[in-house]
Protein backbone atom coordinates (compact mmCIF):
# COMPACT_ATOMS: atom_id res chain seq x y z
CA UNK A 1 0.00 0.00 0.00
CA UNK A 2 1.43 3.35 -1.06
CA UNK A 3 0.03 6.84 -0.65
CA UNK A 4 -2.88 5.33 1.31
CA UNK A 5 -4.20 3.67 -1.87
CA UNK A 6 -5.65 0.16 -1.90
CA UNK A 7 -3.61 -2.05 -4.20
CA UNK A 8 -4.09 -5.71 -5.06
CA UNK A 9 -1.24 -8.08 -4.21
CA UNK A 10 -3.06 -11.38 -4.48
CA UNK A 11 -2.00 -14.38 -2.38
CA UNK A 12 -4.01 -16.49 -4.82
CA UNK A 13 -2.18 -15.82 -8.06
CA UNK A 14 -2.01 -18.79 -10.45
CA UNK A 15 1.16 -20.89 -10.45
CA UNK A 16 3.13 -18.77 -12.90
CA UNK A 17 5.63 -21.55 -13.61
CA UNK A 18 2.75 -23.85 -14.53
CA UNK A 19 1.19 -21.12 -16.66
CA UNK A 20 4.47 -20.61 -18.50
CA UNK A 21 4.70 -24.35 -19.11
CA UNK A 22 1.16 -24.44 -20.45
CA UNK A 23 1.84 -21.50 -22.76
CA UNK A 24 4.92 -23.25 -24.12
CA UNK A 25 2.90 -26.43 -24.64
CA UNK A 26 0.26 -24.51 -26.58
CA UNK A 27 2.86 -22.77 -28.71
CA UNK A 28 4.69 -26.01 -29.46
CA UNK A 29 1.43 -27.69 -30.48
CA UNK A 30 0.74 -24.91 -33.02
CA UNK A 31 -2.93 -25.17 -31.94
CA UNK A 32 -3.78 -21.85 -30.30
CA UNK A 33 -7.53 -21.68 -30.95
CA UNK A 34 -10.43 -23.59 -32.58
CA UNK A 35 -11.37 -26.00 -29.78
CA UNK A 36 -7.97 -27.35 -28.83
CA UNK A 37 -6.88 -29.55 -25.92
CA UNK A 38 -7.05 -26.90 -23.19
CA UNK A 39 -10.44 -25.73 -24.39
CA UNK A 40 -11.79 -29.28 -24.17
CA UNK A 41 -10.22 -29.80 -20.73
CA UNK A 42 -11.72 -26.57 -19.39
CA UNK A 43 -15.24 -27.39 -20.62
CA UNK A 44 -15.04 -30.77 -18.88
CA UNK A 45 -13.60 -29.29 -15.66
CA UNK A 46 -16.20 -26.53 -15.49
CA UNK A 47 -19.12 -28.90 -16.10
CA UNK A 48 -17.88 -31.02 -13.18
CA UNK A 49 -17.19 -28.08 -10.86
CA UNK A 50 -20.48 -26.33 -11.59
CA UNK A 51 -22.48 -29.58 -11.56
CA UNK A 52 -24.15 -28.88 -14.90
CA UNK A 53 -24.90 -31.29 -17.77
CA UNK A 54 -23.32 -29.33 -20.63
CA UNK A 55 -21.28 -26.15 -20.99
CA UNK A 56 -19.94 -24.38 -24.08
CA UNK A 57 -17.12 -21.84 -23.78
CA UNK A 58 -17.20 -18.45 -25.50
CA UNK A 59 -14.80 -15.59 -26.07
CA UNK A 60 -16.71 -13.20 -23.77
CA UNK A 61 -19.92 -12.97 -21.76
CA UNK A 62 -22.03 -11.03 -24.28
CA UNK A 63 -21.94 -13.41 -27.25
CA UNK A 64 -23.47 -16.23 -25.15
CA UNK A 65 -26.53 -14.03 -24.50
CA UNK A 66 -26.88 -13.27 -28.20
CA UNK A 67 -26.32 -16.91 -29.14
CA UNK A 68 -28.75 -18.25 -26.53
CA UNK A 69 -31.66 -16.50 -28.23
CA UNK A 70 -30.54 -17.90 -31.58
CA UNK A 71 -30.13 -21.40 -30.17
CA UNK A 72 -33.72 -21.34 -28.88
CA UNK A 73 -34.98 -20.07 -32.28
CA UNK A 74 -36.29 -16.85 -30.77
CA UNK A 75 -36.34 -14.64 -33.87
CA UNK A 76 -39.20 -12.17 -33.33
CA UNK A 77 -41.40 -10.84 -30.56
CA UNK A 78 -40.96 -9.43 -27.06
CA UNK A 79 -38.59 -10.53 -24.31
CA UNK A 80 -39.40 -9.59 -20.72
CA UNK A 81 -36.32 -8.52 -18.79
CA UNK A 82 -34.98 -6.27 -16.04
CA UNK A 83 -33.81 -2.66 -16.29
CA UNK A 84 -31.35 -3.28 -13.43
CA UNK A 85 -28.41 -5.01 -15.08
CA UNK A 86 -25.36 -4.42 -17.25
CA UNK A 87 -26.32 -3.18 -20.70
CA UNK A 88 -25.20 -6.41 -22.40
CA UNK A 89 -28.37 -8.11 -21.14
CA UNK A 90 -30.70 -5.86 -23.11
CA UNK A 91 -28.26 -5.33 -25.97
CA UNK A 92 -28.45 -9.06 -26.70
CA UNK A 93 -32.21 -8.75 -27.17
CA UNK A 94 -31.80 -5.73 -29.46
CA UNK A 95 -29.08 -7.45 -31.55
CA UNK A 96 -31.53 -10.29 -32.26
CA UNK A 97 -34.17 -7.89 -33.56
CA UNK A 98 -36.40 -8.47 -30.53
CA UNK A 99 -38.19 -5.95 -28.34
CA UNK A 100 -37.21 -5.72 -24.66
CA UNK A 101 -40.05 -5.24 -22.19
CA UNK A 102 -38.93 -4.03 -18.78
CA UNK A 103 -40.39 -5.18 -15.47
CA UNK A 104 -39.56 -3.69 -12.07
CA UNK A 105 -37.37 -5.43 -9.50
CA UNK A 106 -37.84 -6.85 -6.02
CA UNK A 107 -36.08 -4.61 -3.46
CA UNK A 108 -35.20 -7.68 -1.37
CA UNK A 109 -32.96 -9.09 -4.12
CA UNK A 110 -32.63 -6.49 -6.93
CA UNK A 111 -33.85 -9.28 -9.25
CA UNK A 112 -36.86 -9.12 -11.57
CA UNK A 113 -40.08 -9.25 -9.56
CA UNK A 114 -42.03 -12.37 -10.60
CA UNK A 115 -45.27 -10.88 -9.31
CA UNK A 116 -45.07 -8.26 -12.07
CA UNK A 117 -44.09 -10.50 -14.99
CA UNK A 118 -47.53 -11.84 -15.85
CA UNK A 119 -49.01 -8.36 -16.32
CA UNK A 120 -46.28 -7.61 -18.90
CA UNK A 121 -47.06 -10.64 -21.07
CA UNK A 122 -48.74 -9.97 -24.42
CA UNK A 123 -49.47 -12.18 -27.45
CA UNK A 124 -46.04 -11.09 -28.75
CA UNK A 125 -44.10 -12.29 -25.67
CA UNK A 126 -41.73 -15.15 -26.51
CA UNK A 127 -39.23 -15.31 -23.63
CA UNK A 128 -38.14 -14.07 -20.22
CA UNK A 129 -34.54 -13.01 -19.59
CA UNK A 130 -33.97 -12.52 -15.84
CA UNK A 131 -30.63 -11.71 -14.19
CA UNK A 132 -29.24 -13.23 -10.98
CA UNK A 133 -28.14 -9.78 -9.82
CA UNK A 134 -25.00 -9.74 -7.64
CA UNK A 135 -25.20 -13.54 -7.72
CA UNK A 136 -28.41 -13.58 -5.65
CA UNK A 137 -30.77 -16.22 -7.05
CA UNK A 138 -33.95 -15.17 -8.82
CA UNK A 139 -37.18 -16.84 -7.73
CA UNK A 140 -36.65 -19.48 -10.40
CA UNK A 141 -39.67 -21.60 -9.39
CA UNK A 142 -42.09 -18.69 -9.73
CA UNK A 143 -40.57 -17.63 -13.05
CA UNK A 144 -40.74 -21.18 -14.43
CA UNK A 145 -44.39 -21.53 -13.45
CA UNK A 146 -45.21 -18.40 -15.43
CA UNK A 147 -43.12 -19.54 -18.39
CA UNK A 148 -44.81 -22.94 -18.44
CA UNK A 149 -48.27 -21.37 -18.22
CA UNK A 150 -47.65 -19.18 -21.27
CA UNK A 151 -45.25 -21.38 -23.23
CA UNK A 152 -42.27 -19.02 -22.86
CA UNK A 153 -38.53 -19.73 -22.98
CA UNK A 154 -36.37 -18.66 -20.02
CA UNK A 155 -32.77 -17.52 -20.46
CA UNK A 156 -30.92 -16.58 -17.29
CA UNK A 157 -28.15 -14.01 -17.42
CA UNK A 158 -26.02 -15.67 -14.73
CA UNK A 159 -22.93 -13.51 -15.26
CA UNK A 160 -22.67 -12.95 -11.49
CA UNK A 161 -23.71 -16.45 -10.42
CA UNK A 162 -20.65 -18.65 -10.94
CA UNK A 163 -20.76 -21.51 -8.44
CA UNK A 164 -23.96 -20.36 -6.73
CA UNK A 165 -26.12 -23.20 -5.41
CA UNK A 166 -29.63 -23.30 -3.97
CA UNK A 167 -30.41 -26.22 -1.70
CA UNK A 168 -27.22 -27.88 -2.86
CA UNK A 169 -28.24 -27.69 -6.54
CA UNK A 170 -26.52 -25.55 -9.14
CA UNK A 171 -28.46 -22.36 -9.89
CA UNK A 172 -27.26 -22.66 -13.48
CA UNK A 173 -29.65 -25.57 -14.09
CA UNK A 174 -32.67 -23.24 -13.98
CA UNK A 175 -34.53 -22.26 -17.13
CA UNK A 176 -33.78 -23.36 -20.69
CA UNK A 177 -30.30 -21.81 -20.80
CA UNK A 178 -28.00 -19.93 -18.44
CA UNK A 179 -25.12 -17.74 -19.58
CA UNK A 180 -21.92 -16.86 -17.72
CA UNK A 181 -19.25 -14.19 -17.90
CA UNK A 182 -15.60 -14.93 -17.16
CA UNK A 183 -14.46 -11.31 -17.39
CA UNK A 184 -11.44 -10.33 -15.32
CA UNK A 185 -13.67 -8.59 -12.75
CA UNK A 186 -15.56 -11.80 -11.93
CA UNK A 187 -14.92 -14.15 -9.00
CA UNK A 188 -13.81 -16.72 -11.59
CA UNK A 189 -12.24 -15.49 -14.80
CA UNK A 190 -10.39 -16.52 -17.93
CA UNK A 191 -9.18 -12.90 -18.32
CA UNK A 192 -12.04 -12.48 -20.83
CA UNK A 193 -14.56 -15.15 -21.63
CA UNK A 194 -18.00 -16.62 -21.07
CA UNK A 195 -20.14 -19.72 -21.45
CA UNK A 196 -23.58 -21.17 -22.08
CA UNK A 197 -25.02 -23.87 -19.85
CA UNK A 198 -27.71 -26.11 -21.33
CA UNK A 199 -29.52 -29.34 -20.48
CA UNK A 200 -29.13 -31.64 -23.50
CA UNK A 201 -26.42 -32.90 -25.81
CA UNK A 202 -28.52 -31.85 -28.80
CA UNK A 203 -28.71 -28.26 -27.60
CA UNK A 204 -24.97 -28.16 -26.85
CA UNK A 205 -24.24 -29.37 -30.37
CA UNK A 206 -26.40 -26.60 -31.82
CA UNK A 207 -24.72 -23.99 -29.61
CA UNK A 208 -21.28 -25.28 -30.59
CA UNK A 209 -22.16 -24.93 -34.27
CA UNK A 210 -23.45 -21.40 -33.74
CA UNK A 211 -20.32 -20.22 -31.88
CA UNK A 212 -18.18 -21.37 -34.85
CA UNK A 213 -19.88 -19.54 -37.74
CA UNK A 214 -22.50 -22.31 -37.99
CA UNK A 215 -20.00 -24.86 -39.33
CA UNK A 216 -21.01 -28.52 -38.91
CA UNK A 217 -17.91 -29.70 -40.78
CA UNK A 218 -15.36 -28.22 -43.17
CA UNK A 219 -17.89 -27.62 -45.94
CA UNK A 220 -21.30 -27.51 -44.26
CA UNK A 221 -22.83 -24.45 -42.57
CA UNK A 222 -26.06 -25.29 -40.75
CA UNK A 223 -27.02 -21.78 -39.63
CA UNK A 224 -25.99 -18.12 -39.34
CA UNK A 225 -23.43 -18.50 -36.58
CA UNK A 226 -20.84 -16.17 -35.14
CA UNK A 227 -17.17 -16.34 -34.16
CA UNK A 228 -17.54 -16.83 -30.42
CA UNK A 229 -14.85 -19.41 -29.63
CA UNK A 230 -12.50 -19.22 -26.65
CA UNK A 231 -8.81 -19.61 -27.49
CA UNK A 232 -6.27 -21.96 -25.89
CA UNK A 233 -4.41 -19.26 -23.95
CA UNK A 234 -7.44 -18.15 -22.00
CA UNK A 235 -8.56 -21.75 -21.57
CA UNK A 236 -5.24 -22.49 -19.88
CA UNK A 237 -5.66 -19.48 -17.57
CA UNK A 238 -9.15 -20.72 -16.78
CA UNK A 239 -7.89 -24.15 -15.77
CA UNK A 240 -5.41 -22.59 -13.36
CA UNK A 241 -7.94 -20.13 -11.92
CA UNK A 242 -10.41 -22.94 -11.34
CA UNK A 243 -7.91 -24.50 -8.90
CA UNK A 244 -8.10 -21.43 -6.64
CA UNK A 245 -11.69 -20.27 -7.00
CA UNK A 246 -12.89 -21.89 -3.77
CA UNK A 247 -10.15 -20.12 -1.82
CA UNK A 248 -11.07 -16.85 -3.54
CA UNK A 249 -14.76 -17.26 -2.61
CA UNK A 250 -13.79 -18.03 0.99
CA UNK A 251 -11.63 -14.91 1.19
CA UNK A 252 -14.42 -12.77 -0.26
CA UNK A 253 -16.85 -14.19 2.28
CA UNK A 254 -14.53 -13.02 5.06
CA UNK A 255 -14.53 -9.52 3.59
CA UNK A 256 -18.34 -9.54 3.40
CA UNK A 257 -18.59 -10.59 7.06
CA UNK A 258 -16.28 -7.74 8.13
CA UNK A 259 -18.35 -5.20 6.19
CA UNK A 260 -21.61 -6.47 7.65
CA UNK A 261 -20.38 -6.60 11.24
CA UNK A 262 -19.03 -3.05 11.08
CA UNK A 263 -21.78 -1.33 9.06
CA UNK A 264 -24.90 -2.95 10.49
CA UNK A 265 -27.05 -0.47 12.38
CA UNK A 266 -25.75 2.72 10.75
CA UNK A 267 -28.86 4.82 9.96
CA UNK A 268 -29.46 5.06 6.21
CA UNK A 269 -27.06 2.22 5.33
CA UNK A 270 -28.40 -1.17 4.27
CA UNK A 271 -27.05 -4.25 2.52
CA UNK A 272 -27.91 -7.87 1.78
CA UNK A 273 -27.39 -10.74 4.18
CA UNK A 274 -26.91 -14.29 2.93
CA UNK A 275 -30.05 -16.06 1.76
CA UNK A 276 -30.95 -19.26 3.64
CA UNK A 277 -29.95 -22.42 1.82
CA UNK A 278 -27.85 -20.54 -0.75
CA UNK A 279 -24.16 -21.05 -1.40
CA UNK A 280 -23.14 -17.53 -2.40
CA UNK A 281 -20.01 -16.51 -4.30
CA UNK A 282 -19.64 -12.98 -2.86
CA UNK A 283 -18.97 -11.41 -6.24
CA UNK A 284 -20.10 -7.98 -5.05
CA UNK A 285 -21.00 -6.13 -1.88
CA UNK A 286 -23.73 -3.63 -2.78
CA UNK A 287 -24.52 -0.94 -0.21
CA UNK A 288 -27.71 1.14 -0.36
CA UNK A 289 -27.65 4.73 0.89
CA UNK A 290 -30.78 6.50 2.10
CA UNK A 291 -29.56 10.09 2.00
CA UNK A 292 -32.25 11.37 4.37
CA UNK A 293 -31.19 9.00 7.13
CA UNK A 294 -27.46 8.77 6.42
CA UNK A 295 -26.94 12.51 6.02
CA UNK A 296 -25.14 12.11 2.69
CA UNK A 297 -26.24 11.00 -0.76
CA UNK A 298 -24.90 7.97 -2.55
CA UNK A 299 -22.98 10.24 -4.91
CA UNK A 300 -21.62 12.15 -1.94
CA UNK A 301 -20.31 8.91 -0.44
CA UNK A 302 -18.93 7.87 -3.82
CA UNK A 303 -16.98 11.14 -4.05
CA UNK A 304 -15.79 10.87 -0.43
CA UNK A 305 -14.47 7.34 -0.96
CA UNK A 306 -12.78 8.49 -4.15
CA UNK A 307 -10.99 11.28 -2.25
CA UNK A 308 -9.54 8.53 -0.06
CA UNK A 309 -8.44 6.62 -3.18
CA UNK A 310 -11.16 4.00 -2.67
CA UNK A 311 -13.22 3.09 -5.72
CA UNK A 312 -16.88 2.30 -5.18
CA UNK A 313 -18.92 1.29 -8.21
CA UNK A 314 -22.40 2.71 -8.78
CA UNK A 315 -23.46 -0.64 -10.13
CA UNK A 316 -26.07 -0.53 -11.67
CA UNK A 317 -26.40 3.16 -12.41
CA UNK A 318 -27.79 4.58 -14.55
CA UNK A 319 -30.59 2.16 -15.40
CA UNK A 320 -30.54 0.56 -18.83
CA UNK A 321 -33.88 2.24 -19.49
CA UNK A 322 -32.28 5.68 -19.23
CA UNK A 323 -30.07 5.09 -22.27
CA UNK A 324 -31.13 6.59 -25.58
CA UNK A 325 -31.64 3.23 -27.31
CA UNK A 326 -34.29 2.11 -24.83
CA UNK A 327 -35.78 5.08 -23.00
CA UNK A 328 -38.54 5.67 -25.57
CA UNK A 329 -40.03 2.23 -24.95
CA UNK A 330 -43.30 2.43 -22.95
CA UNK A 331 -42.01 -0.08 -20.37
CA UNK A 332 -38.91 2.08 -19.80
CA UNK A 333 -40.89 4.82 -18.06
CA UNK A 334 -39.68 5.52 -14.50
CA UNK A 335 -43.34 5.31 -13.44
CA UNK A 336 -43.27 1.64 -14.49
CA UNK A 337 -40.01 1.02 -12.59
CA UNK A 338 -40.20 2.86 -9.25
CA UNK A 339 -38.12 0.36 -7.26
CA UNK A 340 -35.35 0.05 -9.84
CA UNK A 341 -35.27 3.83 -10.26
CA UNK A 342 -34.86 4.36 -6.51
CA UNK A 343 -32.26 1.65 -6.00
CA UNK A 344 -30.17 2.85 -8.95
CA UNK A 345 -29.86 6.20 -7.14
CA UNK A 346 -28.89 4.54 -3.85
CA UNK A 347 -26.50 1.71 -4.74
CA UNK A 348 -22.73 1.69 -4.38
CA UNK A 349 -20.69 -1.50 -4.50
CA UNK A 350 -17.82 -1.51 -2.04
CA UNK A 351 -14.38 -2.91 -2.92
CA UNK A 352 -14.63 -6.71 -2.98
CA UNK A 353 -11.72 -8.96 -3.84
CA UNK A 354 -10.00 -11.96 -2.37
CA UNK A 355 -6.78 -9.95 -2.04
CA UNK A 356 -8.20 -7.23 0.24
CA UNK A 357 -6.46 -7.13 3.61
CA UNK A 358 -8.11 -6.43 6.95
CA UNK A 359 -6.45 -3.01 6.88
CA UNK A 360 -7.94 -2.29 3.44
CA UNK A 361 -11.42 -3.23 4.62
CA UNK A 362 -11.07 -1.25 7.85
CA UNK A 363 -10.13 1.85 5.87
CA UNK A 364 -13.29 1.56 3.77
CA UNK A 365 -15.37 1.05 6.90
CA UNK A 366 -13.77 4.05 8.60
CA UNK A 367 -14.72 6.40 5.75
CA UNK A 368 -18.32 5.19 5.67
CA UNK A 369 -18.69 5.29 9.44
CA UNK A 370 -17.12 8.69 10.07
CA UNK A 371 -18.16 10.36 6.80
CA UNK A 372 -15.01 12.40 6.55
Amino acid sequence: MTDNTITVTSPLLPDLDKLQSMMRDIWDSRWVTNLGEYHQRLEKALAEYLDVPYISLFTNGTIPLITALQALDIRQGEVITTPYSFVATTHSIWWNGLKPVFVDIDPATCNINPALIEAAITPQTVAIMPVHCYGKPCDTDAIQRIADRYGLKVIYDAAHAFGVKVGGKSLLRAGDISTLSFHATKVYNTLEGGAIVCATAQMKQKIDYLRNFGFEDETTVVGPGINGKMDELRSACGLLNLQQVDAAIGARQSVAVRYRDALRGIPGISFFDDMPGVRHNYSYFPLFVDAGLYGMSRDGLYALLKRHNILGRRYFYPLITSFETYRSLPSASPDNLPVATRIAEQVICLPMHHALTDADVDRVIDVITNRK
Side-chain angles (χ1 to χ4, degrees):
M1 188 178 297
T2 59
D3 299 325
N4 207 34
T5 302
I6 291 178
T7 58
V8 172
T9 54
S10 173
L12 296 170
L13 285 171
D15 183 331
L16 297 182
D17 290 337
K18 183 66 178 294
L19 180 61
Q20 185 178 39
S21 174
M22 295 167 84
M23 295 298 109
R24 187 179 296 112
D25 183 41
I26 292 167
W27 190 252
D28 289 344
S29 76
R30 303 296 192 267
W31 195 335
V32 298
T33 189
N34 285 16
L35 319 181
E37 176 190 352
Y38 286 98
H39 179 283
Q40 303 302 326
R41 284 171 55 187
L42 182 57
E43 280 197 345
K44 183 176 185 295
L46 284 171
E48 291 176 355
Y49 178 86
L50 295 169
D51 187 28
V52 296
Y54 300 98
I55 189 167
S56 299
L57 296 176
F58 280 77
T59 189
N60 59 46
T62 302
I63 294 179
L65 286 165
I66 295 171
T67 303
L69 290 159
Q70 290 285 315
L72 293 172
D73 296 316
I74 300 172
R75 306 298 171 84
Q76 60 182 355
E78 298 174 350
V79 178
I80 293 173
T81 191
T82 172
Y84 194 80
S85 181
F86 187 62
V87 289
T89 307
T90 307
H91 283 353
S92 70
I93 298 169
W94 184 91
W95 273 92
N96 276 282
L98 301 161
K99 180 182 178 181
V101 174
F102 299 101
V103 166
D104 208 1
I105 61 175
D106 182 344
T109 61
C110 289
N111 293 329
I112 193 169
N113 189 337
L116 302 176
I117 290 176
E118 200 159 6
I121 294 174
T122 73
Q124 287 71 49
T125 305
V126 290
I128 308 170
M129 186 178 282
V131 178
H132 300 301
C133 192
Y134 309 127
K136 297 184 74 64
C138 292
D139 188 341
T140 57
D141 289 342
I143 292 170
Q144 193 61 52
R145 285 194 296 270
I146 295 168
D148 290 343
R149 189 178 306 133
Y150 290 91
L152 307 177
K153 300 295 186 182
V154 181
I155 300 167
Y156 281 101
D157 181 338
H160 295 178
F162 183 91
V164 175
K165 293 185 177 182
V166 180
K169 182 179 177 181
S170 174
L171 180 60
L172 303 177
R173 288 175 174 263
D176 294 282
I177 278 177
S178 290
T179 71
L180 288 161
S181 170
F182 302 149
H183 186 268
T185 57
K186 300 298 188 286
V187 66
Y188 168 80
N189 74 81
T190 58
L191 306 183
E192 180 79 84
I196 289 179
V197 171
C198 64
T200 68
Q202 292 81 3
M203 180 56 72
K204 175 173 168 52
Q205 185 65 83
K206 185 175 183 179
I207 290 165
D208 290 351
Y209 289 155
L210 288 171
R211 74 175 172 192
N212 188 31
F213 303 99
F215 277 108
E216 182 179 33
D217 55 39
E218 290 185 19
T219 59
T220 306
V221 174
V222 297
I226 197 168
N227 185 10
K229 303 180 299 296
M230 180 182 286
D231 59 72
E232 288 289 89
L233 305 179
R234 283 180 289 175
S235 297
C237 289
L239 282 165
L240 290 177
N241 282 337
L242 191 59
Q243 296 173 10
Q244 65 179 23
V245 70
D246 285 333
I249 291 171
R252 286 167 174 259
Q253 182 181 24
S254 297
V255 173
V257 169
R258 288 181 67 84
Y259 279 144
R260 288 170 181 159
D261 287 348
L263 301 176
R264 194 180 305 278
I266 297 177
I269 293 293
S270 60
F271 46 80
F272 293 131
D273 285 307
D274 287 356
M275 299 170 69
V278 176
R279 190 255 196 183
H280 293 278
N281 65 15
Y282 306 96
S283 290
Y284 303 91
F285 193 89
L287 201 72
F288 305 98
V289 181
D290 183 326
L293 294 174
Y294 182 59
M296 180 183 293
S297 69
R298 184 276 312 275
D299 286 345
L301 178 58
Y302 170 81
L304 178 62
L305 288 167
K306 203 168 185 179
R307 286 201 296 274
H308 286 270
N309 294 317
I310 299 168
L311 179 62
R313 286 187 75 186
R314 292 169 291 186
Y315 193 67
F316 295 100
Y317 168 83
L319 288 178
I320 293 172
T321 46
S322 70
F323 298 133
E324 184 175 357
T325 305
Y326 306 112
R327 65 187 178 209
S328 62
L329 295 171
S331 64
S333 168
D335 292 339
N336 185 52
L337 309 166
V339 177
T341 300
R342 172 175 58 82
I343 288 179
E345 297 289 341
Q346 294 180 334
V347 68
I348 182 168
C349 287
L350 302 184
M352 172 55 78
H353 193 273
H354 58 258
L356 291 173
T357 66
D358 288 350
D360 293 332
V361 176
D362 288 344
R363 190 155 65 82
V364 176
I365 291 167
D366 180 69
V367 174
I368 296 170
T369 303
N370 294 310
R371 283 163 276 189
K372 61 182 181 180

